[in-house]
Amino acid sequence: MSVTVDSTIYNIHVVANYQLHCKDTSLTVDTVVNTYNVPTVSIYGDAIVCNPDGRIELTAVVPNYYKGKFTWKVDGVDSLVNGTATYVDTLPSRDYPYEIKVALLDTVTRCALTSAPFMVYVGENPTVAVSATADTTCKNNEVTLTAHIGDYNMPGLTFQWYKQVGAQTDTTEIAIGTEITYTEPVVDSTKYFVKVSQNLTECYAWGKD
């Protein structure tokens, strides 16, 4: 006999016929099999985290009938046993994602399930400084600017340079200024800015000369 995963009570009636002392005899056995739904689970939260302390907050969504605890796993290792549906943790930044899962065990039905993995990228904002080959120069002389990001080693960085020329109050994007260095002839007193972004985590920081 097979049973479904629905919450159902099965009444099983068994009749055994056999001969005892040359007489036909029957024996009836009644039993009840209860089946319950296997709980489903989904994880919700930010898949990309960019903040100084790497704080993540995730929520496990389960059916109302689920009665039990939650075991949260990070990269296959138990991080929080007998927890709740909300998981808060602080994880260091790295250049590949964390795999988060939650395991359920219903204390009433003993039905168990582990969620599909939920991937979380944790990044941090770079610290950017800008240097120039000259702070003062003759008109039309070239100046090279360089963005310095220290020991920040996340991949997928993009650079965008901006400038304010003379008495300008608006900042102008430099279309060709998309590398870690930028060189141009200076025709007037100019302020330069660079925005360094990490594509995956969307972390970014500004630097200025």
Side-chain angles (χ1 to χ4, degrees):
M1 173 186 172
S2 62
V3 296
T4 69
V5 295
D6 295 331
S7 297
T8 308
I9 297 176
Y10 289 86
N11 292 297
I12 300 175
H13 184 73
V14 179
V15 178
N17 294 306
Y18 59 96
Q19 286 191 335
L20 180 65
H21 301 301
C22 299
K23 294 183 179 180
D24 290 334
T25 304
S26 64
L27 175 66
T28 301
V29 177
D30 290 315
T31 189
V32 176
V33 177
N34 295 310
T35 64
Y36 299 92
N37 288 313
V38 176
T40 58
V41 58
S42 299
I43 297 176
Y44 289 89
D46 289 334
I48 297 174
V49 177
C50 184
N51 52 44
D53 59 5
R55 183 180 185 273
I56 66 169
E57 183 171 342
L58 303 175
T59 301
V61 178
V62 296
N64 291 333
Y65 62 78
Y66 175 71
K67 305 296 182 184
K69 295 295 184 179
F70 301 77
T71 297
W72 290 89
K73 300 174 180 287
V74 178
D75 291 340
V77 178
D78 289 354
S79 178
L80 178 63
V81 179
N82 293 329
T84 66
T86 300
Y87 177 62
V88 178
D89 199 356
T90 299
L91 300 173
S93 63
R94 69 185 192 187
D95 59 2
Y96 58 99
Y98 289 93
E99 181 187 87
I100 312 293
K101 292 182 180 180
V102 61
L104 311 182
L105 177 61
D106 194 305
T107 54
V108 176
T109 68
R110 311 305 295 175
C111 294
L113 180 71
T114 299
S115 71
F118 185 85
M119 312 307 285
V120 178
Y121 288 88
V122 177
E124 61 180 344
N125 293 319
T127 300
V128 184
V130 175
S131 66
T133 52
D135 292 329
T136 58
T137 187
C138 296
K139 187 174 183 178
N140 292 320
N141 279 359
E142 284 191 343
V143 171
T144 297
L145 301 123
T146 302
H148 302 275
I149 55 175
D151 59 358
Y152 188 81
N153 59 4
M154 293 284 283
L157 295 180
T158 60
F159 299 85
Q160 182 60 62
W161 290 89
Y162 301 81
K163 64 181 178 180
Q164 289 178 343
V165 179
Q168 268 188 326
T169 56
D170 294 332
T171 301
T172 303
E173 179 181 298
I174 303 171
I176 61 173
T178 57
E179 302 294 335
I180 194 170
T181 61
Y182 174 68
T183 301
E184 74 169 7
V186 180
V187 297
D188 199 349
S189 177
T190 306
K191 294 179 181 178
Y192 291 94
F193 307 86
V194 64
K195 182 180 181 181
V196 181
S197 305
Q198 206 282 325
N199 292 335
L200 186 61
T201 62
E202 300 177 355
C203 299
Y204 69 91
W206 287 88
K208 64 179 180 178
D209 177 41

